[in-house]
Amino acid sequence: MNTTNTEQLDKAIKKLDIEPGTRHFYWIMFKATFLISAFTVGGGMVIIPLLKTKFVDEYGWINDKETLDIAAIAQSLPGVMAVNASIMLGHRMAGLAGTFITTFATVLPPLITMTIIAFFYDLFAHNEYVQMLLKGMQCGATAVIINVAINLVQKLIKKRQLIPILICIGTFIAALVFDVNLMYCVAVDALIGLMLLRDPKYN
């Protein structure tokens, strides 16, 4: 963790009036990650607005750029995106102990939910009210993702960062119009970033 990240984390900790390494500190980490996992409905990308709301806007533990970095890496790695993101976030916050806590908190909600569903599968599978509930949650998750995407693009426009804007537009067109696999899009975007986004102004 570099000096800037350490200072940012120290400020956030003072804001919440907690001391790193204490039970209260770990409890806040667990609770926040548990809630994010519990409401990550509709796909892994839903975690981006939830991370931003909790860890950027409310706690100030990370910034917008770090949120996107975590999401991009988590999406690119094998495994569940939410778990990958929680591992990186936990390690950044409290090392190995933080990793175990955030990972456990992320896995616990779906484990509880799937256990309940397994016991009452027939009821959930054929109940029209449950189906309508799930459809409503998916619509809400879609709206949240769109809202965050618009906010991030607006920030890029305000900063007049043409290359990132073109990358966003190009990736959107490739995925939507030409049905290019998202993993290929991410790989190409990574190469473009490596070659063209080295200037400090893009940080």
Side-chain angles (χ1 to χ4, degrees):
M1 188 184 301
N2 59 40
T3 304
T4 303
N5 288 342
T6 302
E7 292 176 352
Q8 177 186 341
L9 185 56
D10 288 340
K11 290 180 181 179
I13 289 171
K14 290 178 181 178
K15 174 184 175 183
L16 294 174
D17 191 26
I18 57 176
E19 183 178 346
T22 62
R23 291 183 179 180
H24 183 49
F25 175 73
Y26 290 130
W27 166 244
I28 289 179
M29 286 181 57
F30 176 87
K31 182 174 66 172
T33 314
F34 181 92
L35 290 174
I36 288 175
S37 177
F39 287 95
T40 303
V41 180
M45 297 305 292
V46 180
I47 197 174
I48 299 177
L50 297 178
L51 279 177
K52 182 180 183 301
T53 300
K54 182 62 68 173
F55 291 107
V56 178
D57 299 337
E58 184 176 345
Y59 291 164
W61 283 351
I62 57 177
N63 55 40
D64 288 333
K65 181 180 180 299
E66 289 173 309
T67 303
L68 291 178
D69 288 344
I70 290 174
I73 296 172
Q75 177 70 15
S76 304
L77 294 175
V80 180
M81 180 177 176
V83 175
N84 293 341
S86 69
I87 291 172
M88 289 184 287
L89 185 63
H91 189 271
R92 183 194 182 285
M93 299 299 304
L96 189 60
T99 301
F100 282 115
I101 290 172
T102 53
T103 302
F104 178 67
T106 301
V107 173
L108 194 57
L111 180 62
I112 294 173
T113 304
M114 292 306 297
T115 300
I116 295 173
I117 291 176
F119 277 107
F120 303 100
Y121 177 77
D122 290 335
L123 175 64
F124 281 101
H126 305 291
N127 189 301
E128 61 176 324
Y129 296 105
V130 173
Q131 296 300 318
M132 288 188 288
L133 178 66
L134 293 175
K135 289 179 181 178
M137 294 173 70
Q138 291 173 353
C139 293
T142 303
V144 171
I145 293 175
I146 293 174
N147 178 59
V148 172
I150 292 174
N151 289 336
L152 293 174
V153 170
Q154 287 176 339
K155 290 182 179 180
L156 292 177
I157 293 175
K158 288 181 180 179
K159 294 179 179 179
R160 297 182 180 179
Q161 296 184 347
L162 180 60
I163 296 178
I165 293 174
L166 291 177
I167 291 175
C168 292
I169 295 174
T171 304
F172 179 78
I173 293 174
L176 182 66
V177 179
F178 298 102
D179 197 27
V180 178
N181 188 297
L182 287 178
M183 293 304 300
Y184 295 146
C185 293
V186 171
V188 172
D189 292 343
L191 292 175
I192 295 174
L194 180 63
M195 293 184 293
L196 302 179
L197 301 181
R198 297 182 180 182
D199 195 305
K201 70 178 181 180
Y202 294 116
N203 292 334

